[in-house]
Amino acid sequence: MAIVGWGGELAAEVEAQAEALGRAAVDAGFRVVCGGLGGVMAAACRGAASSEHYTEGDVIGLLPGPDKASANPWVDIVIPTDLGHARNLLVVATGDVVVAVGGGAGTLSELALAWQLGRPVVALAQAEGWGATLAGTSIDARRTDVVHPAADASDAARLAIDLLSAS
Amino acid sequence: MAIVGWGGELAAEVEAQAEALGRAAVDAGFRVVCGGLGGVMAAACRGAASSEHYTEGDVIGLLPGPDKASANPWVDIVIPTDLGHARNLLVVATGDVVVAVGGGAGTLSELALAWQLGRPVVALAQAEGWGATLAGTSIDARRTDVVHPAADASDAARLAIDLLSAS
Amino acid sequence: MAIVGWGGELAAEVEAQAEALGRAAVDAGFRVVCGGLGGVMAAACRGAASSEHYTEGDVIGLLPGPDKASANPWVDIVIPTDLGHARNLLVVATGDVVVAVGGGAGTLSELALAWQLGRPVVALAQAEGWGATLAGTSIDARRTDVVHPAADASDAARLAIDLLSAS
Amino acid sequence: MAIVGWGGELAAEVEAQAEALGRAAVDAGFRVVCGGLGGVMAAACRGAASSEHYTEGDVIGLLPGPDKASANPWVDIVIPTDLGHARNLLVVATGDVVVAVGGGAGTLSELALAWQLGRPVVALAQAEGWGATLAGTSIDARRTDVVHPAADASDAARLAIDLLSAS
């Protein structure tokens, strides 16, 4: 599961949702892939590592820069792409499903690219930002589905599994 | 000027706007950079090449694939990136200003990335798609400006010049 | 450990060395990252998965194309970069150390990029190709070390550990 | 013509050759594409701009970083890829033919990638570095030609034209 969202400081509520999402993803048998830095990325990685089903190697971080040390401490597999914002594309390409928690322009680019790549897309409807804005809508006419709105982290994990078994 | 928008078949009205935009860009002293393929890209390149101020080298196409022959015939400088959708980022990074004519998910990713990179962004308000949807709005709080709405191609070129001289 | 080398059909001897190298890498506590396709890549992944110390998640494949299904069957974590040959760079950037088994032009690009990135580089001296050609030599004057020649797979794993603890 | 070579300070002789090569390329009707920075890149751009056949737009620089201002002053079309060393690949992909003037590990990666992409490759035999080392040799068995050795800049331009008309 690719988890995308704000990279900066988070409201406590959003941070809790991102952390719960990372945990729910690993609980549900997913690995977590993200941009490897802070904000939603760090919260989701921390959550993933706190799952009872976690094993080392479940958390993958695709960094924009060249320096492995800039990854958050919960990333197991650090890929220092040094591709700048082009790493956004690799994050969503690596996920079998993409889940957004809020998000600004970077997340918006990831949702748009995930849509282009045909990845199922889920967004936490309560988390504001571009995820919430797009939840329930269709990004363009090339696909007949929508950005699936999820009520909370465990709903998102459930949806992710359903979408993958349907595809 | 980076010109982005739909890659597929265009309504006659949109095609005319894209062609007029390419021409207006070169008339105003810009080079045109785009994704080098069809739809808005081809129309804008054709328009650029039809400007009285056009000189060879004014039209740059950054292709997603490895094959130069897939560029539309109005591209002078073909860069076969073979980076897939990651070439979207290079298109907007290469422009000093980015102008959207309609657009689906690919264009949305380009507008989001242009916003992240700090490029001034303009959208034709009449051309529907993501350009029109975002015209007049702010993509996120990192910037205080908006996606500038343009009434038509010559308005877009005027805006582009104003935005660059202000920056 | 990033493992690089020929992508096509291998002589039995070279295949055995690549497989032994993958196994020795995991035995020594490394994960294995490679280009995820055939030849040395597939042999090294198969070897890694056969190690007694292997756990799922230890084998990472960075594919040049967009399709996860093109990975060899021993890759656990598939990253479909769709970056073409630019994925070569990500392979060597992801490794803390890079080991070559033979290799043509693609491997040569990887060794050159690994050198630029400051990664310790090891090459199997018996495996011919660019790995063997460069073994014991310095790629350019920016570094004072050499491409470290290894007599066989277990020697390469030992060298890799020594080089990392020294750096 | 893609021109590659050392990025740092140059011996006077090598600088003169790179400058002559840029001039000879434009004299022969080529545009020049390079990495846009210093050393051989800057000398070749300066030479290109000094050709009697030069028109603005003939010099293209593909920068590794995000900042257009880091291009050398003779670059007309600045593409700030922000892809790090992955921009090396774009330089050689953009050229119809690739010519090396000396060069360390970065140049070596470019020659190897040019070979993989099927671009004709020429190297100044007097300029030392990886260009001279590979001149007259075959990088691997996928091609039956060699890195064509050129005696000087005008010989390289002549070779480049011959190779392109033969291909």
mmCIF file of all heavy atoms in Angstrom, chain A residues 31 56-57 60 62 66 68 76-81 83 90 93-96 119, chain C residues 31 56-57 60 62 66 68 76-81 83 90 93-96 119:
data_model
loop_
_atom_site.group_PDB
_atom_site.id
_atom_site.type_symbol
_atom_site.label_atom_id
_atom_site.label_comp_id
_atom_site.label_asym_id
_atom_site.label_seq_id
_atom_site.Cartn_x
_atom_site.Cartn_y
_atom_site.Cartn_z
ATOM 1 N N ARG A 31 2.638 -4.455 2.752
ATOM 2 C CA ARG A 31 3.779 -3.619 3.080
ATOM 3 C C ARG A 31 3.355 -2.172 2.891
ATOM 4 O O ARG A 31 2.388 -1.885 2.181
ATOM 5 C CB ARG A 31 4.970 -3.899 2.157
ATOM 6 C CG ARG A 31 5.620 -5.215 2.424
ATOM 7 C CD ARG A 31 6.994 -5.301 1.739
ATOM 8 N NE ARG A 31 7.555 -6.618 1.965
ATOM 9 C CZ ARG A 31 7.313 -7.677 1.193
ATOM 10 N NH1 ARG A 31 6.570 -7.543 0.096
ATOM 11 N NH2 ARG A 31 7.829 -8.840 1.489
ATOM 12 N N GLU A 56 10.516 -6.842 9.813
ATOM 13 C CA GLU A 56 11.453 -5.902 9.210
ATOM 14 C C GLU A 56 11.442 -6.090 7.708
ATOM 15 O O GLU A 56 11.489 -7.223 7.215
ATOM 16 C CB GLU A 56 12.851 -6.138 9.752
ATOM 17 C CG GLU A 56 13.567 -4.827 10.060
ATOM 18 C CD GLU A 56 15.049 -5.022 10.214
ATOM 19 O OE1 GLU A 56 15.453 -5.812 11.070
ATOM 20 O OE2 GLU A 56 15.794 -4.393 9.407
ATOM 21 N N GLY A 57 11.398 -5.005 6.986
ATOM 22 C CA GLY A 57 11.310 -5.061 5.528
ATOM 23 C C GLY A 57 9.937 -4.644 5.033
ATOM 24 O O GLY A 57 9.726 -4.487 3.836
ATOM 25 N N ILE A 60 8.958 0.698 3.298
ATOM 26 C CA ILE A 60 9.830 1.109 2.199
ATOM 27 C C ILE A 60 9.709 2.621 2.003
ATOM 28 O O ILE A 60 8.595 3.148 1.919
ATOM 29 C CB ILE A 60 9.405 0.380 0.906
ATOM 30 C CG1 ILE A 60 9.436 -1.144 1.130
ATOM 31 C CG2 ILE A 60 10.285 0.777 -0.267
ATOM 32 C CD1 ILE A 60 8.496 -1.896 0.220
ATOM 33 N N LEU A 62 10.919 5.838 -0.381
ATOM 34 C CA LEU A 62 11.548 6.324 -1.615
ATOM 35 C C LEU A 62 11.844 7.811 -1.444
ATOM 36 O O LEU A 62 10.955 8.665 -1.593
ATOM 37 C CB LEU A 62 10.604 6.095 -2.791
ATOM 38 C CG LEU A 62 10.456 4.626 -3.232
ATOM 39 C CD1 LEU A 62 9.070 4.373 -3.787
ATOM 40 C CD2 LEU A 62 11.508 4.278 -4.271
ATOM 41 N N PRO A 66 19.516 12.251 -2.263
ATOM 42 C CA PRO A 66 20.523 11.208 -2.404
ATOM 43 C C PRO A 66 20.975 10.594 -1.076
ATOM 44 O O PRO A 66 21.775 9.664 -1.082
ATOM 45 C CB PRO A 66 21.691 11.968 -3.039
ATOM 46 C CG PRO A 66 21.579 13.339 -2.456
ATOM 47 C CD PRO A 66 20.107 13.596 -2.290
ATOM 48 N N LYS A 68 20.600 8.616 2.348
ATOM 49 C CA LYS A 68 19.786 7.657 3.094
ATOM 50 C C LYS A 68 19.451 8.146 4.504
ATOM 51 O O LYS A 68 18.423 7.768 5.068
ATOM 52 C CB LYS A 68 20.512 6.315 3.190
ATOM 53 C CG LYS A 68 20.605 5.560 1.878
ATOM 54 C CD LYS A 68 21.058 4.129 2.123
ATOM 55 C CE LYS A 68 21.024 3.336 0.816
ATOM 56 N NZ LYS A 68 21.278 1.896 1.049
ATOM 57 N N ASP A 76 12.487 0.717 6.755
ATOM 58 C CA ASP A 76 13.414 -0.414 6.732
ATOM 59 C C ASP A 76 14.260 -0.419 5.471
ATOM 60 O O ASP A 76 15.440 -0.737 5.502
ATOM 61 C CB ASP A 76 12.626 -1.734 6.749
ATOM 62 C CG ASP A 76 11.791 -1.899 7.999
ATOM 63 O OD1 ASP A 76 12.267 -1.541 9.084
ATOM 64 O OD2 ASP A 76 10.638 -2.372 7.870
ATOM 65 N N ILE A 77 13.614 -0.157 4.350
ATOM 66 C CA ILE A 77 14.286 -0.231 3.061
ATOM 67 C C ILE A 77 14.299 1.164 2.457
ATOM 68 O O ILE A 77 13.260 1.693 2.062
ATOM 69 C CB ILE A 77 13.567 -1.239 2.139
ATOM 70 C CG1 ILE A 77 13.651 -2.636 2.759
ATOM 71 C CG2 ILE A 77 14.149 -1.209 0.735
ATOM 72 C CD1 ILE A 77 12.876 -3.707 2.015
ATOM 73 N N VAL A 78 15.486 1.751 2.451
ATOM 74 C CA VAL A 78 15.631 3.149 2.037
ATOM 75 C C VAL A 78 16.144 3.191 0.606
ATOM 76 O O VAL A 78 17.198 2.637 0.303
ATOM 77 C CB VAL A 78 16.627 3.884 2.948
ATOM 78 C CG1 VAL A 78 16.751 5.331 2.514
ATOM 79 C CG2 VAL A 78 16.206 3.786 4.405
ATOM 80 N N ILE A 79 15.401 3.854 -0.251
ATOM 81 C CA ILE A 79 15.808 4.001 -1.648
ATOM 82 C C ILE A 79 16.003 5.486 -1.927
ATOM 83 O O ILE A 79 15.041 6.236 -2.082
ATOM 84 C CB ILE A 79 14.759 3.364 -2.581
ATOM 85 C CG1 ILE A 79 14.638 1.866 -2.241
ATOM 86 C CG2 ILE A 79 15.126 3.575 -4.050
ATOM 87 C CD1 ILE A 79 13.666 1.086 -3.073
ATOM 88 N N PRO A 80 17.276 5.907 -1.939
ATOM 89 C CA PRO A 80 17.574 7.339 -2.107
ATOM 90 C C PRO A 80 17.581 7.689 -3.590
ATOM 91 O O PRO A 80 18.628 7.697 -4.221
ATOM 92 C CB PRO A 80 18.952 7.467 -1.464
ATOM 93 C CG PRO A 80 19.604 6.141 -1.715
ATOM 94 C CD PRO A 80 18.502 5.113 -1.777
ATOM 95 N N THR A 81 16.406 7.997 -4.128
ATOM 96 C CA THR A 81 16.301 8.097 -5.595
ATOM 97 C C THR A 81 17.098 9.255 -6.185
ATOM 98 O O THR A 81 17.515 9.204 -7.319
ATOM 99 C CB THR A 81 14.836 8.267 -6.043
ATOM 100 O OG1 THR A 81 14.353 9.566 -5.680
ATOM 101 C CG2 THR A 81 13.934 7.200 -5.453
ATOM 102 N N LEU A 83 15.888 11.784 -7.353
ATOM 103 C CA LEU A 83 15.114 12.202 -8.532
ATOM 104 C C LEU A 83 14.218 13.403 -8.234
ATOM 105 O O LEU A 83 13.374 13.759 -9.057
ATOM 106 C CB LEU A 83 14.232 11.052 -9.029
ATOM 107 C CG LEU A 83 14.937 9.802 -9.549
ATOM 108 C CD1 LEU A 83 13.922 8.695 -9.806
ATOM 109 C CD2 LEU A 83 15.721 10.098 -10.828
ATOM 110 N N LEU A 90 7.260 7.187 -8.438
ATOM 111 C CA LEU A 90 7.696 5.846 -8.036
ATOM 112 C C LEU A 90 6.935 5.363 -6.810
ATOM 113 O O LEU A 90 6.690 4.166 -6.671
ATOM 114 C CB LEU A 90 9.205 5.831 -7.753
ATOM 115 C CG LEU A 90 10.084 5.489 -8.940
ATOM 116 C CD1 LEU A 90 10.026 6.565 -9.998
ATOM 117 C CD2 LEU A 90 11.498 5.231 -8.517
ATOM 118 N N ALA A 93 3.613 4.160 -8.123
ATOM 119 C CA ALA A 93 3.789 3.000 -9.009
ATOM 120 C C ALA A 93 4.106 1.742 -8.205
ATOM 121 O O ALA A 93 3.748 0.629 -8.600
ATOM 122 C CB ALA A 93 4.900 3.262 -10.020
ATOM 123 N N THR A 94 4.795 1.919 -7.084
ATOM 124 C CA THR A 94 5.202 0.765 -6.280
ATOM 125 C C THR A 94 4.030 0.183 -5.497
ATOM 126 O O THR A 94 3.984 -1.017 -5.235
ATOM 127 C CB THR A 94 6.358 1.164 -5.333
ATOM 128 O OG1 THR A 94 7.447 1.623 -6.135
ATOM 129 C CG2 THR A 94 6.811 0.002 -4.474
ATOM 130 N N GLY A 95 3.077 1.033 -5.109
ATOM 131 C CA GLY A 95 1.913 0.522 -4.388
ATOM 132 C C GLY A 95 0.961 -0.212 -5.318
ATOM 133 O O GLY A 95 0.795 0.166 -6.475
ATOM 134 N N ASP A 96 0.332 -1.264 -4.814
ATOM 135 C CA ASP A 96 -0.743 -1.898 -5.589
ATOM 136 C C ASP A 96 -2.027 -1.093 -5.429
ATOM 137 O O ASP A 96 -2.935 -1.164 -6.248
ATOM 138 C CB ASP A 96 -0.967 -3.333 -5.105
ATOM 139 C CG ASP A 96 0.219 -4.218 -5.420
ATOM 140 O OD1 ASP A 96 0.707 -4.155 -6.565
ATOM 141 O OD2 ASP A 96 0.668 -4.959 -4.524
ATOM 142 N N ARG A 119 -3.868 2.622 -10.754
ATOM 143 C CA ARG A 119 -3.894 2.099 -9.400
ATOM 144 C C ARG A 119 -5.215 2.475 -8.713
ATOM 145 O O ARG A 119 -5.656 3.639 -8.829
ATOM 146 C CB ARG A 119 -2.752 2.687 -8.570
ATOM 147 C CG ARG A 119 -1.373 2.350 -9.043
ATOM 148 C CD ARG A 119 -0.994 0.903 -8.817
ATOM 149 N NE ARG A 119 0.400 0.652 -9.197
ATOM 150 C CZ ARG A 119 0.825 0.371 -10.432
ATOM 151 N NH1 ARG A 119 -0.019 0.285 -11.425
ATOM 152 N NH2 ARG A 119 2.101 0.138 -10.658
ATOM 153 N N ARG C 31 20.375 -7.410 2.589
ATOM 154 C CA ARG C 31 19.329 -7.578 1.598
ATOM 155 C C ARG C 31 19.993 -7.506 0.217
ATOM 156 O O ARG C 31 21.092 -6.963 0.073
ATOM 157 C CB ARG C 31 18.288 -6.452 1.697
ATOM 158 C CG ARG C 31 17.386 -6.589 2.882
ATOM 159 C CD ARG C 31 16.167 -5.676 2.762
ATOM 160 N NE ARG C 31 15.373 -5.760 3.973
ATOM 161 C CZ ARG C 31 15.564 -4.994 5.036
ATOM 162 N NH1 ARG C 31 16.470 -4.039 5.013
ATOM 163 N NH2 ARG C 31 14.831 -5.167 6.112
ATOM 164 N N GLU C 56 11.259 -13.076 3.824
ATOM 165 C CA GLU C 56 10.584 -12.373 2.737
ATOM 166 C C GLU C 56 10.782 -10.873 2.912
ATOM 167 O O GLU C 56 10.648 -10.350 4.030
ATOM 168 C CB GLU C 56 9.087 -12.698 2.760
ATOM 169 C CG GLU C 56 8.541 -12.940 1.358
ATOM 170 C CD GLU C 56 7.031 -12.859 1.339
ATOM 171 O OE1 GLU C 56 6.393 -13.644 2.060
ATOM 172 O OE2 GLU C 56 6.528 -11.959 0.621
ATOM 173 N N GLY C 57 11.090 -10.230 1.827
ATOM 174 C CA GLY C 57 11.388 -8.816 1.888
ATOM 175 C C GLY C 57 12.867 -8.537 1.675
ATOM 176 O O GLY C 57 13.285 -7.389 1.534
ATOM 177 N N ILE C 60 14.913 -7.171 -3.462
ATOM 178 C CA ILE C 60 14.290 -5.967 -4.010
ATOM 179 C C ILE C 60 14.667 -5.850 -5.483
ATOM 180 O O ILE C 60 15.845 -5.946 -5.835
ATOM 181 C CB ILE C 60 14.793 -4.724 -3.245
ATOM 182 C CG1 ILE C 60 14.496 -4.888 -1.748
ATOM 183 C CG2 ILE C 60 14.168 -3.439 -3.788
ATOM 184 C CD1 ILE C 60 15.431 -4.096 -0.867
ATOM 185 N N LEU C 62 14.330 -3.417 -8.895
ATOM 186 C CA LEU C 62 13.974 -2.127 -9.486
ATOM 187 C C LEU C 62 13.887 -2.308 -11.002
ATOM 188 O O LEU C 62 14.908 -2.317 -11.699
ATOM 189 C CB LEU C 62 15.037 -1.091 -9.131
ATOM 190 C CG LEU C 62 15.047 -0.637 -7.662
ATOM 191 C CD1 LEU C 62 16.440 -0.259 -7.215
ATOM 192 C CD2 LEU C 62 14.113 0.568 -7.489
ATOM 193 N N PRO C 66 7.187 -0.502 -16.583
ATOM 194 C CA PRO C 66 6.057 -0.174 -15.713
ATOM 195 C C PRO C 66 5.321 -1.390 -15.151
ATOM 196 O O PRO C 66 4.418 -1.226 -14.339
ATOM 197 C CB PRO C 66 5.125 0.587 -16.654
ATOM 198 C CG PRO C 66 5.366 -0.044 -17.985
ATOM 199 C CD PRO C 66 6.817 -0.438 -18.004
ATOM 200 N N LYS C 68 4.857 -4.771 -13.100
ATOM 201 C CA LYS C 68 5.410 -5.586 -12.016
ATOM 202 C C LYS C 68 5.603 -7.039 -12.428
ATOM 203 O O LYS C 68 6.467 -7.732 -11.882
ATOM 204 C CB LYS C 68 4.481 -5.529 -10.807
ATOM 205 C CG LYS C 68 4.494 -4.191 -10.083
ATOM 206 C CD LYS C 68 3.764 -4.305 -8.747
ATOM 207 C CE LYS C 68 3.896 -3.001 -7.963
ATOM 208 N NZ LYS C 68 3.390 -3.140 -6.589
ATOM 209 N N ASP C 76 10.934 -10.042 -3.989
ATOM 210 C CA ASP C 76 9.863 -9.838 -3.004
ATOM 211 C C ASP C 76 9.227 -8.463 -3.148
ATOM 212 O O ASP C 76 8.023 -8.311 -3.034
ATOM 213 C CB ASP C 76 10.429 -9.928 -1.575
ATOM 214 C CG ASP C 76 11.030 -11.283 -1.280
ATOM 215 O OD1 ASP C 76 10.441 -12.303 -1.694
ATOM 216 O OD2 ASP C 76 12.098 -11.326 -0.633
ATOM 217 N N ILE C 77 10.068 -7.477 -3.319
ATOM 218 C CA ILE C 77 9.598 -6.094 -3.360
ATOM 219 C C ILE C 77 9.883 -5.557 -4.760
ATOM 220 O O ILE C 77 11.036 -5.339 -5.126
ATOM 221 C CB ILE C 77 10.296 -5.250 -2.279
ATOM 222 C CG1 ILE C 77 9.904 -5.799 -0.901
ATOM 223 C CG2 ILE C 77 9.942 -3.778 -2.418
ATOM 224 C CD1 ILE C 77 10.610 -5.127 0.254
ATOM 225 N N VAL C 78 8.824 -5.384 -5.521
ATOM 226 C CA VAL C 78 8.954 -5.005 -6.927
ATOM 227 C C VAL C 78 8.684 -3.509 -7.067
ATOM 228 O O VAL C 78 7.612 -3.027 -6.691
ATOM 229 C CB VAL C 78 7.954 -5.778 -7.796
ATOM 230 C CG1 VAL C 78 8.109 -5.399 -9.261
ATOM 231 C CG2 VAL C 78 8.118 -7.281 -7.613
ATOM 232 N N ILE C 79 9.632 -2.801 -7.620
ATOM 233 C CA ILE C 79 9.473 -1.364 -7.845
ATOM 234 C C ILE C 79 9.538 -1.129 -9.352
ATOM 235 O O ILE C 79 10.616 -1.143 -9.946
ATOM 236 C CB ILE C 79 10.552 -0.581 -7.079
ATOM 237 C CG1 ILE C 79 10.388 -0.883 -5.579
ATOM 238 C CG2 ILE C 79 10.453 0.919 -7.361
ATOM 239 C CD1 ILE C 79 11.343 -0.176 -4.675
ATOM 240 N N PRO C 80 8.376 -0.939 -9.968
ATOM 241 C CA PRO C 80 8.327 -0.788 -11.432
ATOM 242 C C PRO C 80 8.582 0.665 -11.802
ATOM 243 O O PRO C 80 7.666 1.457 -11.990
ATOM 244 C CB PRO C 80 6.898 -1.215 -11.755
ATOM 245 C CG PRO C 80 6.100 -0.804 -10.545
ATOM 246 C CD PRO C 80 7.023 -0.883 -9.368
ATOM 247 N N THR C 81 9.877 1.027 -11.946
ATOM 248 C CA THR C 81 10.214 2.448 -12.035
ATOM 249 C C THR C 81 9.701 3.111 -13.315
ATOM 250 O O THR C 81 9.446 4.300 -13.322
ATOM 251 C CB THR C 81 11.741 2.677 -11.978
ATOM 252 O OG1 THR C 81 12.346 2.193 -13.179
ATOM 253 C CG2 THR C 81 12.373 2.001 -10.784
ATOM 254 N N LEU C 83 11.458 3.991 -15.623
ATOM 255 C CA LEU C 83 12.445 5.034 -15.915
ATOM 256 C C LEU C 83 13.454 4.574 -16.969
ATOM 257 O O LEU C 83 14.449 5.256 -17.203
ATOM 258 C CB LEU C 83 13.212 5.431 -14.647
ATOM 259 C CG LEU C 83 12.406 6.084 -13.527
ATOM 260 C CD1 LEU C 83 13.278 6.226 -12.283
ATOM 261 C CD2 LEU C 83 11.866 7.456 -13.950
ATOM 262 N N LEU C 90 19.334 3.945 -9.756
ATOM 263 C CA LEU C 90 18.651 3.662 -8.496
ATOM 264 C C LEU C 90 19.135 2.361 -7.880
ATOM 265 O O LEU C 90 19.183 2.241 -6.655
ATOM 266 C CB LEU C 90 17.132 3.603 -8.712
ATOM 267 C CG LEU C 90 16.411 4.926 -8.521
ATOM 268 C CD1 LEU C 90 16.786 5.928 -9.579
ATOM 269 C CD2 LEU C 90 14.911 4.729 -8.493
ATOM 270 N N ALA C 93 22.410 3.199 -6.207
ATOM 271 C CA ALA C 93 22.201 4.141 -5.105
ATOM 272 C C ALA C 93 21.578 3.443 -3.901
ATOM 273 O O ALA C 93 21.826 3.820 -2.753
ATOM 274 C CB ALA C 93 21.311 5.299 -5.560
ATOM 275 N N THR C 94 20.758 2.421 -4.162
ATOM 276 C CA THR C 94 20.072 1.734 -3.074
ATOM 277 C C THR C 94 21.007 0.800 -2.315
ATOM 278 O O THR C 94 20.842 0.580 -1.118
ATOM 279 C CB THR C 94 18.861 0.951 -3.637
ATOM 280 O OG1 THR C 94 17.993 1.887 -4.268
ATOM 281 C CG2 THR C 94 18.098 0.226 -2.548
ATOM 282 N N GLY C 95 22.001 0.256 -3.000
ATOM 283 C CA GLY C 95 22.953 -0.612 -2.316
ATOM 284 C C GLY C 95 23.916 0.185 -1.444
ATOM 285 O O GLY C 95 24.308 1.296 -1.792
ATOM 286 N N ASP C 96 24.303 -0.385 -0.298
ATOM 287 C CA ASP C 96 25.376 0.240 0.488
ATOM 288 C C ASP C 96 26.721 -0.141 -0.099
ATOM 289 O O ASP C 96 27.708 0.547 0.098
ATOM 290 C CB ASP C 96 25.288 -0.221 1.945
ATOM 291 C CG ASP C 96 24.041 0.306 2.625
ATOM 292 O OD1 ASP C 96 23.740 1.504 2.458
ATOM 293 O OD2 ASP C 96 23.354 -0.479 3.297
ATOM 294 N N ARG C 119 29.895 4.714 -3.579
ATOM 295 C CA ARG C 119 29.637 3.387 -3.028
ATOM 296 C C ARG C 119 30.870 2.503 -3.188
ATOM 297 O O ARG C 119 31.491 2.517 -4.273
ATOM 298 C CB ARG C 119 28.462 2.710 -3.767
ATOM 299 C CG ARG C 119 27.139 3.403 -3.669
ATOM 300 C CD ARG C 119 26.538 3.309 -2.284
ATOM 301 N NE ARG C 119 25.199 3.896 -2.259
ATOM 302 C CZ ARG C 119 24.916 5.191 -2.069
ATOM 303 N NH1 ARG C 119 25.887 6.056 -1.862
ATOM 304 N NH2 ARG C 119 23.670 5.616 -2.055
#
